[in-house]
Amino acid sequence: MTRQDAGPRTGPGPALTRPPAGQAKRKSAYPYALYLPAAVVYLVIFLVPTVMAFYFALTRWTLFDSTFVGLDNFRDFLSEQNLRIGFTNTLFYAVVTSGLKVVLGLLLGVLLTSKLRLRGFLRSVVFFPVLVSTVAVGITFSALLRPDTGLVNKALAVVGIDGPDWLGDAGTALLSVALVDVWKGVGIATVIYIAGILSIPRDYYQAVAVDGGGAWHRFRHVTLPLSWPATYSVIILSFIGGLRSFDLIWTMTRGGPGFTSDTIASIIYKQYQAGFFGLSTAGNVLLFVVVTAIVVPLNYFLGKRQVAA
Amino acid sequence: MKTSHRTLGAALAVLTMTALTSCGSGSGSGAEPAADGTVTLKYLVDNGQGAVDTAKAMTEAFMKANPKIKIEMETRPAGSEGDNIVKTRLSTGDMTDVFAYNSGSLLQALNPSQTLVDLAGDPAIQNVQKDFLPVVSQGDHVFGVPSGTALGGGILYNRKVYEKLGLQVPKTWDEFMANNEKIKAAGIAPVISTFKDTWTSQLFVLGDYYNVQAAVPNFAADYTAGKAKFATTPAALAGFQHLADVKAKGYLNEGFGSATADQGMKMLVEGKGAHYPMLSAQVPPLVDTMPQAATDVGFFGVPGTDPAKNGATLWEPGGVYIPKTTKNVDAAKKFLAFVASPAATEAVSKVVQPSGPYRITGAKLPDDAVQVAKDLQAYIDRSATSPALEFLSPVKGPSLEQITVAVGSGLTPAAEGAAQYDKDVEKQAKQLGLAGW
């Protein structure tokens, strides 16, 4: 475990080696004209609206005309009464979903790379929820989680447990949605882990076998540390997804009951519904800043850790 | 600074246009008249059973009378999600030729002077009752004609349950709570709540407005001017208090947090619940599948403190409007003129039982009207009604339905909920640029 010092790093991958002085800069393989169509699309579809959003965040905007109000929108957004709940919920949701996806994804990944007879079939089963539309999943689970007629509580009743009103109870609403999110998203995490585990050279496993280690040793000392790149990808992807979580929450609880399962994204959406377009744009700009502020350092630390491994 | 707004606006417009034309959305305004002179109008309505049935009856009767005009119906969700769709489609120029939408404060938020066709002085509105016009107007422009009937917002109750338990229609809130106690003892849910459809949670607050204006006659004007607040006006706070009280006493149905409006109405008609704070318009669509809804469900206004001043809160019917982007203004105006005619109300009455009086001169209630309409008519005949606050003031905070869910689920104390709503209203008023905020 030697820590290499490669200067400031901004992500995974091998450190950039500086070309020796005097060597000419490597020529690009293609003429710049070939990049042009993609550049135009990127500019028109992404860059221009982004820059415009930064401007409209400073205006009172009705979609027809806008009056410049400076930083008022940001002040109003930050004084939003349910913002604290929304922020806590967003973080909770991101941590719970990405944490569970890592743990379950790794376990499923190990399971589905072992010598199972039904391996191919099970891989498909685990991946299937990823392919279903999120809204459809939300509606289906809303029906399954109904307190009186839902399948979940009926199943619990068989065992003699009186299930709660999962989505209508302030204590369980957000957690229920998070668990459904995990059910839907764990397939992606599993696939990433399968790829990660399969890329581990077999020699290590043979070494463990020679040393007389069992399955636990194989997992603890080979699979777990050497699948770190996969863990890193899963954490980053699901954490960003969790911070921006909206569709499932909106279809299942609409941020309710009351404001108890509001996330930043649903607060912004409600402002947009109310016709406060400038205000909701300001919220989006803040969300962008917050996600960046959380993910960039996370990326940096996880990337460093990878080099050390 | 001004020019840059224009440039940006223009850039946005260009972008939107490019996006729209390239996506080729097929749901905007109808095309130009076809070769044989027939015009197709697209008509957007919300997807509630009552709204769809009403629109179907109206469009069919209209097409019979005008074979040259075809009308295709599109539906959208109800509630704030639908508001959102309507606003977005209007601002992107993608709105249907005619569309149905709320009147009152929600209409004001559509910026009608800029987006809708002005009907002031148009023959299309000659049959509309004068007292309806203010709720579809901005300044001296008129934008819509009434579709459907005025309705009562208060408590729908199961008359069979009342009969069985020997209860009287309550004249005060205390009597209402005493009834609830007896109903609960009989093993029936006293107050049905359906917070999955968040809009249904507002009725105890909004339907209480008759009592608010009875106690504080100038509340609406002061509230619009930013002088009167819910939290500091005891009569206005009462609505939030009522919500909290029925929850605290355990009068709500089981699973109220994830129940829907449809489930709530079913519970009421079947007698599994006794009261449902709701709009009377929810009853007629049920009569087809549950005929007893016509006779077993009655209506009374949310009771206040003084039995002598008992009354009910009225909601005006929604309107049908024409966006400025339509290519078929003449055909659309023809349709609106029909919607605002007694002939249309007769066609609708055949399919959807009216749940209150029509707002069209010459329209009559059928003799076999549903019980809720009769109960409401009794209030109107005693002139013991008041329009809801959203028809007297342009300000309605967008988060009321979430706040009332929180108060009604016991998550937020009533006083705190009212204060939150005052803040919400302030935000709305600032965004509308009203004076005095």
Side-chain angles (χ1 to χ4, degrees):
Chain A
M1 294 288 267
T2 52
R3 175 71 54 95
Q4 309 168 336
D5 189 30
R9 299 185 34 82
T10 50
L16 285 169
T17 48
R18 209 168 288 166
Q23 192 184 318
K25 221 179 98 191
R26 239 190 70 209
K27 271 294 242 283
S28 159
Y30 303 103
Y32 284 125
L34 276 180
Y35 296 124
L36 203 61
V40 167
V41 169
Y42 181 72
L43 187 82
V44 170
I45 304 284
F46 183 80
L47 274 186
V48 171
T50 306
V51 172
M52 277 167 56
F54 279 95
Y55 166 75
F56 279 122
L58 304 172
T59 64
R60 184 171 300 152
W61 182 30
T62 61
L63 292 188
F64 305 98
D65 47 18
S66 56
T67 27
F68 190 79
V69 293
L71 292 173
D72 279 10
N73 284 331
F74 289 91
R75 194 199 56 210
D76 289 350
F77 186 84
L78 290 171
S79 63
E80 188 76 46
Q81 49 203 0
N82 49 348
L83 188 70
R84 182 166 307 171
I85 305 176
F87 199 78
T88 324
N89 283 347
T90 306
L91 267 181
F92 171 83
Y93 190 89
V95 169
V96 167
T97 51
S98 59
L100 281 172
K101 279 177 194 171
V102 167
V103 174
L104 293 173
L106 177 59
L107 294 179
L108 285 167
V110 171
L111 181 75
L112 296 178
T113 47
S114 60
K115 294 185 178 57
L116 277 175
R117 187 172 305 172
L118 288 172
R119 200 170 66 183
F121 169 71
L122 285 176
R123 281 186 189 180
S124 321
V125 168
V126 170
F127 194 67
F128 173 70
V130 177
L131 305 173
V132 185
S133 123
T134 311
V135 173
V137 168
I139 293 170
T140 309
F141 271 90
S142 298
L144 293 176
L145 292 170
R146 271 193 201 133
D148 42 358
T149 53
L151 200 62
V152 174
N153 277 3
K154 279 196 169 158
L156 287 175
V158 171
V159 204
I161 301 172
D162 185 17
D165 181 356
W166 296 99
L167 297 173
D169 189 309
T172 54
L174 187 64
L175 194 63
S176 308
V177 181
L179 291 178
V180 174
D181 189 312
V182 170
W183 175 84
K184 181 169 165 22
V186 80
I188 290 271
T190 309
V191 167
I192 294 174
Y193 268 114
I194 290 175
I197 292 169
L198 289 180
S199 69
I200 297 172
R202 297 287 99 191
D203 327 10
Y204 293 110
Y205 291 108
Q206 285 160 2
V208 173
V210 167
D211 288 346
W216 169 246
H217 284 91
R218 274 205 304 277
F219 174 75
R220 171 70 190 80
H221 296 291
V222 180
T223 311
L224 191 59
L226 289 179
S227 62
W228 177 251
T231 307
Y232 162 82
S233 310
V234 171
I235 290 180
I236 289 285
L237 283 176
S238 54
F239 200 79
I240 295 179
L243 288 176
R244 291 167 50 246
S245 55
F246 170 73
D247 39 12
L248 206 57
I249 287 181
W250 194 252
T251 40
M252 289 175 76
T253 67
R254 318 228 150 208
F259 301 99
T260 45
S261 62
D262 256 334
T263 60
I264 304 272
S266 68
I267 291 173
I268 292 170
Y269 186 72
K270 281 179 195 167
Q271 290 171 342
Y272 159 65
Q273 277 192 323
F276 307 158
F277 299 104
L279 188 63
S280 60
T281 309
N284 266 321
V285 169
L286 281 174
L287 179 64
F288 171 81
V289 171
V290 167
V291 171
T292 312
I294 292 177
V295 170
V296 168
L298 189 72
N299 208 353
Y300 173 73
F301 283 116
L302 293 173
K304 247 175 117 142
R305 167 101 201 248
Q306 198 179 354
V307 175
Chain B
M1 214 55 234
K2 260 285 170 260
T3 48
S4 69
H5 292 200
R6 283 226 189 95
T7 340
L8 271 167
L12 179 76
V14 169
L15 267 177
T16 331
M17 288 310 296
T18 338
L20 282 176
T21 44
S22 59
C23 296
S25 96
S27 57
S29 295
E32 304 284 343
D36 58 352
T38 52
V39 178
T40 304
L41 291 179
K42 292 207 157 125
Y43 180 33
L44 182 72
V45 295
D46 82 65
N47 60 8
Q49 194 60 46
V52 171
D53 291 348
T54 303
K56 254 209 185 92
M58 266 182 333
T59 50
E60 276 165 16
F62 175 75
M63 286 193 277
K64 257 200 199 116
N66 299 276
K68 285 260 184 227
I69 304 177
K70 226 174 106 208
I71 299 188
E72 288 174 6
M73 214 165 71
E74 273 182 45
T75 56
R76 60 166 174 86
S80 48
E81 193 143 6
D83 298 349
N84 194 14
I85 287 172
V86 168
K87 275 178 196 150
T88 312
R89 291 187 67 167
L90 272 177
S91 56
T92 53
D94 187 39
M95 186 41 100
T96 52
D97 300 290
V98 274
F99 68 101
Y101 192 64
N102 301 58
S103 50
S105 66
L106 281 169
L107 171 68
Q108 302 299 320
L110 295 186
N111 215 344
S113 301
Q114 285 186 45
T115 54
L116 305 182
V117 172
D118 184 4
L119 302 169
D122 196 280
I125 59 169
Q126 63 187 14
N127 287 329
V128 179
Q129 286 177 9
K130 292 284 166 287
D131 49 4
F132 173 78
L133 291 177
V135 304
V136 288
S137 302
Q138 193 172 45
D140 27 12
H141 308 296
V142 182
F143 299 103
V145 296
S147 155
T149 62
L151 31 133
I155 315 268
L156 300 180
Y157 71 106
N158 187 304
R159 298 168 71 216
K160 281 268 172 1
V161 171
Y162 262 55
E163 216 172 294
K164 202 173 74 184
L165 302 177
L167 300 172
Q168 296 297 318
V169 168
K171 290 262 190 285
T172 66
W173 184 257
D174 294 340
E175 288 172 24
F176 176 67
M177 290 304 258
N179 282 357
N180 283 336
E181 198 53 49
K182 287 176 191 146
I183 294 162
K184 190 179 175 183
I188 297 167
V191 179
I192 300 169
S193 290
T194 52
F195 293 164
K196 168 89 183 176
D197 286 329
T198 45
W199 66 268
T200 63
S201 66
Q202 309 172 87
L203 266 292
F204 269 134
V205 173
L206 298 178
D208 200 39
Y209 187 69
Y210 178 86
N211 300 317
V212 176
Q213 57 85 41
V216 190
N218 52 356
F219 182 81
D222 287 353
Y223 161 85
T224 307
K227 288 190 225 123
K229 303 280 178 207
F230 272 83
T232 51
T233 311
L237 180 60
F240 288 93
Q241 199 54 57
H242 292 166
L243 250 178
D245 289 352
V246 288
K247 167 73 177 86
K249 292 263 191 199
Y251 290 156
L252 303 189
N253 47 309
E254 208 174 314
F256 63 88
S258 52
T260 63
D262 291 346
Q263 292 169 328
M265 284 308 295
K266 205 161 162 263
M267 277 182 77
L268 179 72
V269 176
E270 288 171 349
K272 288 179 184 159
H275 301 117
Y276 189 15
M278 205 8 82
L279 298 168
S280 64
Q282 293 292 91
V283 176
L286 289 178
V287 175
D288 253 359
T289 47
M290 304 173 143
Q292 73 269 38
T295 50
D296 292 2
V297 177
F299 168 86
F300 58 84
V302 177
T305 46
D306 183 353
K309 282 193 191 169
N310 180 264
T313 308
L314 268 188
W315 262 254
E316 291 293 350
V320 180
Y321 312 91
I322 310 174
K324 280 186 175 160
T325 48
T326 178
K327 298 189 186 79
N328 307 310
V329 176
D330 295 338
K333 279 187 175 169
K334 229 183 213 166
F335 177 61
L336 260 62
F338 177 78
V339 169
S341 70
T345 64
E346 278 157 34
V348 172
S349 290
K350 277 191 199 119
V351 184
V352 182
Q353 282 278 4
S355 54
Y358 283 104
R359 286 293 190 216
I360 289 157
T361 316
K364 290 190 299 285
L365 274 188
D367 303 330
D368 61 342
V370 293
Q371 185 62 38
V372 282
K374 289 179 189 161
D375 289 349
L376 184 61
Q377 195 62 50
Y379 282 107
I380 294 171
D381 295 343
R382 282 198 290 125
S383 42
T385 59
S386 149
L389 183 57
E390 59 199 83
F391 300 104
L392 302 170
S393 166
V395 197
K396 178 170 187 268
S399 306
L400 179 62
E401 51 196 73
Q402 278 90 33
I403 295 169
T404 45
V405 166
V407 173
S409 315
L411 302 168
T412 309
E416 197 181 312
Q420 282 180 355
Y421 184 53
D422 284 332
K423 259 195 181 158
D424 193 44
V425 165
E426 187 181 338
K427 196 166 68 177
Q428 173 80 32
K430 275 186 181 158
Q431 293 281 344
L432 287 172
L434 293 182
W437 296 80

